[in-house]
Amino acid sequence: MAREPLSLVVTTLDNAATLARCLDSAAFADDILVLDSGSTDATRAIAEAHGARIERHAFDDYAAQKQRAIALARHDWILLLDADEALTPAAAAIIQRELRAPRAAGYRLPRREQMFWTFQHRRSRINTHLRLFDRRHGGMNAVPVHAAPEVLGRVRTLRAAVFLHFGEPDIATKVRKLNDYSSGLVAHKRARGTRFVRTRMLLYPPLFFLRQYLFKRYFLNGWAGYISAASGAWYVFLKYAKLYEARRDQGGAGDDSGGRA
């Protein structure tokens, strides 16, 4: 039985270190679209060597850039990967089999995270992400930094279709990302009118650490798991600390629950 034609969609900026692995992992795709925002390394040459169609557009926003790439794809079924992600062989086989007779408008895939010098333990809890979907039923949401696809219709999780994220090879890279991401979320949280900011600063970081380290079983990853959970808690703190600072800088009380600190 023939399967639905598939477009692999990847947005890039100086991703020469990881792009070949990403494209190789989904070489079965009928169309490969790479939307580049001005790479100065070998990213475009690598994409060309893998038979990708390369489009260019200056980066303005995570969601807008990915939606632009989705619109440029030749086929309605989209596999959306970041340049530092790659399918496992099992995931590639499952996706091809599923597209012979799709049972949903979108599919969530489990993602194993790189934790510095190791990879997330298979028995720790792995987050799932909507990465395979029919664009006729949806597209990117408008959440800054952590923009993700959303579809109207049934969504299934392909538990065995694990893909890998090679995004945090060392602690310095993770810290840099956490600082950039937390700054990028300030305007969004202000627009949403996030309340009880001081309370969130106090309570969310330790709760987040416990959730990651104990309930998601990051302790199985040894010191890498501990550092990942601790830095994640720091990220939660930074998001609300920066929001508090932004409100105070613009003459507010820092926290719209009342009072000034």
Side-chain angles (χ1 to χ4, degrees):
M1 181 187 298
R3 63 169 174 79
E4 294 286 340
L6 177 70
S7 287
L8 169 65
V9 171
V10 185
T11 55
T12 58
L13 175 61
D14 292 334
N15 295 117
T18 59
L19 182 60
R21 178 170 49 209
C22 172
L23 300 183
D24 283 338
S25 76
F28 61 88
D30 306 283
D31 169 45
I32 301 175
L33 186 283
V34 170
L35 180 59
D36 187 71
S37 55
S39 293
T40 57
D41 63 3
T43 292
R44 289 197 291 260
I46 292 169
E48 288 174 357
H50 284 77
R53 291 187 297 119
I54 305 171
E55 301 287 345
R56 296 172 177 82
H57 195 284
F59 180 84
D60 51 4
D61 175 81
Y62 288 98
Q65 190 78 342
K66 289 183 184 294
Q67 186 59 51
R68 212 171 271 125
I70 291 167
L72 289 167
R74 287 179 176 157
H75 304 300
D76 289 323
W77 275 96
I78 304 295
L79 174 61
L80 183 65
L81 292 179
D82 289 339
D84 59 1
E85 296 172 339
L87 299 178
T88 59
I94 290 168
I95 288 170
Q96 292 178 81
R97 184 168 64 247
E98 190 66 28
L99 288 179
R100 292 175 190 157
R103 298 172 290 168
Y107 294 88
R108 300 183 67 86
L109 312 178
R111 187 174 77 173
R112 287 184 68 203
E113 302 289 345
Q114 184 177 23
M115 288 186 177
F116 319 121
W117 53 87
T118 187
F119 255 88
Q120 188 174 1
H121 195 283
R122 294 180 184 276
R123 293 183 59 196
S124 63
R125 290 186 59 185
I126 297 176
N127 292 330
T128 62
H129 301 268
L130 181 64
R131 293 304 185 85
L132 177 66
F133 60 96
D134 186 337
R135 69 180 176 185
R136 293 169 293 188
H137 294 275
M140 299 300 296
N141 62 24
V143 178
V145 179
H146 300 301
E150 294 179 349
V151 297
L152 294 175
R154 188 178 186 186
V155 175
R156 295 177 62 93
T157 299
L158 302 176
R159 293 289 177 189
V162 176
F163 69 112
L164 306 175
H165 183 210
F166 297 85
E168 296 171 357
D170 51 53
I171 296 171
T173 299
K174 186 173 183 69
V175 170
R176 185 167 60 251
K177 285 185 176 183
L178 298 185
N179 191 44
D180 291 343
Y181 291 169
S182 56
S183 294
L185 286 170
V186 170
H188 176 66
K189 288 188 174 296
R190 292 195 71 190
R192 291 181 60 189
T194 301
R195 303 184 63 197
F196 307 112
V197 176
R198 289 171 294 187
T199 302
R200 292 170 190 259
M201 273 196 291
L202 287 170
L203 298 182
Y204 275 20
L207 290 175
F208 182 90
F209 175 83
L210 289 174
R211 185 183 70 177
Q212 297 294 103
Y213 193 66
L214 295 180
F215 301 126
K216 288 195 171 183
R217 299 188 289 274
Y218 274 28
F219 63 86
L220 294 173
N221 298 283
W223 281 108
Y226 176 83
I227 295 169
S228 182
S231 55
W234 173 243
Y235 173 54
V236 172
F237 170 78
L238 282 179
K239 288 190 294 184
Y240 295 109
K242 290 181 179 182
L243 175 59
Y244 180 83
E245 179 183 58
R247 286 178 173 165
R248 290 186 64 91
D249 286 349
Q250 295 201 1
D255 192 333
D256 57 1
S257 62
R260 188 180 185 90

